[in-house]
Amino acid sequence: MSLKLKLTVGITLIAAIVAGLAAGIIIGGGRMIAEDRLKRPLREAVLSAAKAIDGEKKLPSRLASENENITFVIYTKKGERLLGAPPEGVTVQPTPDSKRYGTVTGENGKVYFIFDKKCDIGGKKQVYLRGYTEYPDNDAVSADIRKTAYVAVPSAVLVFAVLTYLLSRSLLSPISKLSSATNAIIDGSDLSKTIPYPESRDEIYALTKTVNAMLERLDRSFENEKQFISDASHELRTPTAVILAQCELISTSKTEPTGDEYRQAIETIGRQAGRMKQLVLELLELSRIDRGKVEKNFEEDDLSRLVMLVCDEQRELHADSGITLDSSEVDPQIRAQINSSLMIRLVTNLVSNAYQYGKKGGHIKVSLSMEKQFNRKPVARLTVSDDGKGISKEDLPKIWERFYRADNSRTDTGSSGLGLTMVKWIAGYHNGSVTVESTLGKGSRFTADIPLRQQEIRQDEK
Ligand code: ADP
């Protein structure tokens, strides 16, 4: 049963009950009002006529009412008629009883209201004055009312049911539209589309918003999956090709390869296998990040010492690069709430890039300072500058993208194009930021701002 039908049946049922009750009240109440209109004048007429004869020595010679619809008769206590005549056809009657309304029915079927009043005649004799007034053919009247009600109530309920159905159809049509739009998007497998919002900002609007958010999330997760597969296959292609080439070279060689040739081939294969391993690890990490599966975990640590350690390590690693690294502007007293292993990767990536893209005999400068800008939380500012090859204006915005390398010919240098993607993500993880200024041929300067206290930020976010 559709929601439309359920609503129509439910509301119509309630309306039918209410209409039935209303009809009952109108019919019953109408009759009471009609009766009251007759009873009151009858009572007043009887009381005033009784007052006139009460205490008289003898019965009056005749009884007449000013109201032509009212007839008076005087009876004894036992119901014997003393004066006047009841309306035509009224024979069977209740014995007189003071101050009480009653009804009598004539032989012709006419109904009369009666009202009695006790009077004293001649000081001793107790008589009853009874007034009669005809009740209009009540059956005919109420039958008319009933007949009207029998037709009017079902017709009204029917009209109500139709109106309710139309109303619920119009109210629920946005839900049908929403459902068919969602189905169309899912069937078409294009989750990047959004469902159009209704004009009024009602519950349907909120539901549309929720469905759109859900589609967006689904789209993002499918896109991430696609990205992972395409990144993985793209990045693993080169080392796999190199390994296969080396194997082929050895196995198809016309002459028996020398020991040196074997060693060289195995070294190349080993290097490529190592690169593949590194790539797989990085890809898995990126996929974890994409799925939002990385929990935030900070500890207070000596950031200055950490930066110095990385500088020393990089200096040693690139000892024969001819590039000097100056870390004299690293403030030795900066402690911050950081994720140390991630922070080591951030600094390492920036400094190793400075070596990798630096020029022979060039200079790298690493600095760390505390920055307290107006109205902002204090941050630790790390800068890594080099006087190397620099980055062109066109490449500058793209260097943060995963697997982006400004110089694509250098794919076999061990660079993956993931380093800066990680740097940006790690800065974001710490609620910080990273920026770059660079001039092609002159050098680059990377600046990372890392907040000193993570708790304060989390409290502010709340
Ligand atoms: P890669 O593994 O290729 O270094 P990154 O994500 O670290 O990947 O860097 C992306 C690209 O940005 C690099 O390929 C390089 O072209 C450019 N780049 C990064 N750091 C520097 C730098 N210090 N000087 C010049 N170019 C840089």
Side-chain angles (χ1 to χ4, degrees):
M1 201 177 187
S2 71
L3 203 56
K4 252 182 304 200
L5 216 59
K6 274 187 200 162
L7 267 176
T8 309
V9 171
I11 297 178
T12 307
L13 219 64
I14 295 171
I17 293 169
V18 171
L21 280 175
I25 290 169
I26 289 167
I27 294 170
R31 180 180 289 170
M32 270 170 66
I33 292 167
E35 284 181 7
D36 197 53
R37 277 226 191 109
L38 294 170
K39 281 175 174 174
R40 208 169 324 142
L42 171 69
R43 183 172 180 270
E44 277 163 15
V46 170
L47 289 181
S48 106
K51 206 171 166 190
I53 59 170
D54 195 30
E56 290 293 319
K57 288 209 169 62
K58 55 183 176 109
L59 284 173
S61 55
R62 63 183 212 92
L63 280 169
S65 162
E66 281 171 20
N67 185 337
E68 57 183 31
N69 295 326
I70 296 172
T71 312
F72 291 134
V73 179
I74 294 177
Y75 292 98
T76 64
K77 204 172 165 183
K78 286 183 182 151
E80 290 149 3
R81 189 160 59 87
L82 293 176
L83 184 69
E88 216 185 310
V90 175
T91 49
V92 185
Q93 295 193 59
T95 45
D97 180 8
S98 193
K99 291 182 185 169
R100 200 171 67 83
Y101 289 107
T103 49
V104 290
T105 310
E107 282 161 357
N108 48 11
K110 280 188 179 171
V111 178
Y112 298 89
F113 280 124
I114 54 168
F115 186 77
D116 300 332
K117 174 74 181 125
K118 193 163 71 179
C119 316
D120 286 334
I121 303 286
K124 285 180 218 149
K125 198 171 178 191
Q126 280 197 343
V127 297
Y128 282 86
L129 175 66
R130 172 167 286 179
Y132 297 83
T133 189
E134 189 187 334
Y135 187 72
D137 194 352
N138 76 347
D139 269 355
V141 173
S142 55
D144 276 350
I145 295 174
R146 256 181 270 132
K147 233 188 278 169
T148 315
Y150 288 151
V151 179
V153 171
S155 318
V157 169
L158 193 74
V159 170
F160 190 83
V162 173
L163 289 179
T164 310
Y165 181 78
L166 293 177
L167 181 73
S168 52
R169 199 175 64 175
S170 110
L171 285 179
L172 296 176
S173 81
I175 294 190
S176 311
K177 275 190 206 152
L178 179 68
S179 142
S180 46
T182 314
N183 279 333
I185 288 175
I186 292 169
D187 289 347
S189 304
D190 185 0
L191 298 175
S192 62
K193 281 187 184 161
T194 50
I195 297 166
Y197 283 95
E199 272 162 30
S200 59
R201 288 184 167 251
D202 52 13
E203 289 84 348
I204 310 287
Y205 185 92
L207 187 61
T208 310
K209 211 169 155 185
T210 311
V211 174
N212 274 337
M214 193 183 72
L215 287 174
E216 196 191 317
R217 226 178 134 180
L218 275 176
D219 186 41
R220 218 178 322 134
S221 76
F222 287 142
E223 278 305 314
N224 285 340
E225 204 172 304
K226 265 199 274 179
Q227 173 97 44
F228 178 82
I229 293 168
S230 89
D231 288 349
S233 52
H234 178 260
E235 291 307 309
L236 294 173
R237 207 177 302 147
T238 313
T240 317
V242 175
I243 290 172
L244 285 175
Q246 289 296 322
C247 294
E248 206 171 309
L249 197 73
I250 296 289
S251 60
T252 57
S253 172
K254 295 237 166 65
T255 54
E256 177 66 18
T258 62
D260 259 6
E261 280 171 334
Y262 270 123
R263 199 173 310 114
Q264 211 174 356
I266 284 172
E267 267 173 24
T268 310
I269 290 171
R271 216 174 27 250
Q272 294 303 330
R275 189 171 164 221
M276 282 167 88
K277 184 182 157 199
Q278 186 59 27
L279 259 171
V280 169
L281 288 177
E282 283 176 352
L283 281 167
L284 286 176
E285 185 151 18
L286 273 181
S287 144
R288 239 158 43 96
I289 290 171
D290 284 344
R291 277 180 287 137
K293 285 266 158 71
V294 184
E295 260 185 46
K296 289 208 171 185
N297 191 7
F298 303 104
E299 255 177 45
E300 164 115 18
D301 203 352
D302 188 340
L303 186 57
S304 305
R305 199 177 65 94
L306 187 148
V307 172
M308 287 307 281
L309 280 176
V310 174
C311 286
D312 292 345
E313 193 183 271
Q314 289 293 315
R315 219 179 263 125
E316 217 169 286
L317 220 81
H318 299 95
D320 50 4
S321 66
I323 298 174
T324 55
L325 192 157
D326 171 11
S327 55
S328 59
E329 283 186 24
V330 172
D331 180 336
Q333 309 235 335
I334 297 183
R335 294 184 68 80
Q337 283 169 340
I338 51 171
N339 183 310
S340 307
S341 58
L342 287 178
M343 195 50 76
I344 288 174
R345 287 182 65 179
L346 182 145
V347 185
T348 307
N349 281 349
L350 289 180
V351 178
S352 69
N353 272 355
Y355 272 109
Q356 193 174 347
Y357 304 106
K359 63 173 182 202
K360 220 168 171 63
H363 307 273
I364 298 172
K365 190 166 192 165
V366 177
S367 77
L368 181 72
S369 56
M370 223 246 283
E371 296 293 319
K372 223 177 160 194
Q373 285 160 343
F374 176 70
N375 234 349
R376 290 246 191 107
K377 299 270 180 264
V379 295
R381 175 163 293 170
L382 170 81
T383 66
V384 179
S385 347
D386 64 70
D387 52 2
K389 58 183 284 202
I391 306 162
S392 73
K393 260 205 184 98
E394 301 82 67
D395 287 330
L396 215 48
K398 301 180 203 154
I399 56 168
W400 310 103
E401 292 170 13
R402 53 179 68 176
F403 300 112
Y404 186 79
R405 301 179 194 96
D407 183 358
N408 264 317
S409 59
R410 299 174 57 139
T411 49
D412 208 20
T413 55
S415 71
S416 64
L418 285 174
L420 289 182
T421 311
M422 282 308 293
V423 165
K424 190 161 190 147
W425 180 79
I426 294 168
Y429 177 99
H430 286 82
N431 301 302
S433 62
V434 57
T435 53
V436 61
E437 298 150 75
S438 186
T439 315
L440 195 63
K442 290 206 167 152
S444 316
R445 178 189 164 95
F446 287 83
T447 307
D449 279 352
I450 304 297
L452 295 181
R453 310 248 154 267
Q454 294 298 331
Q455 267 96 347
E456 285 172 16
I457 289 173
R458 262 177 275 162
Q459 265 158 18
D460 286 355
E461 278 170 1
K462 276 179 207 162

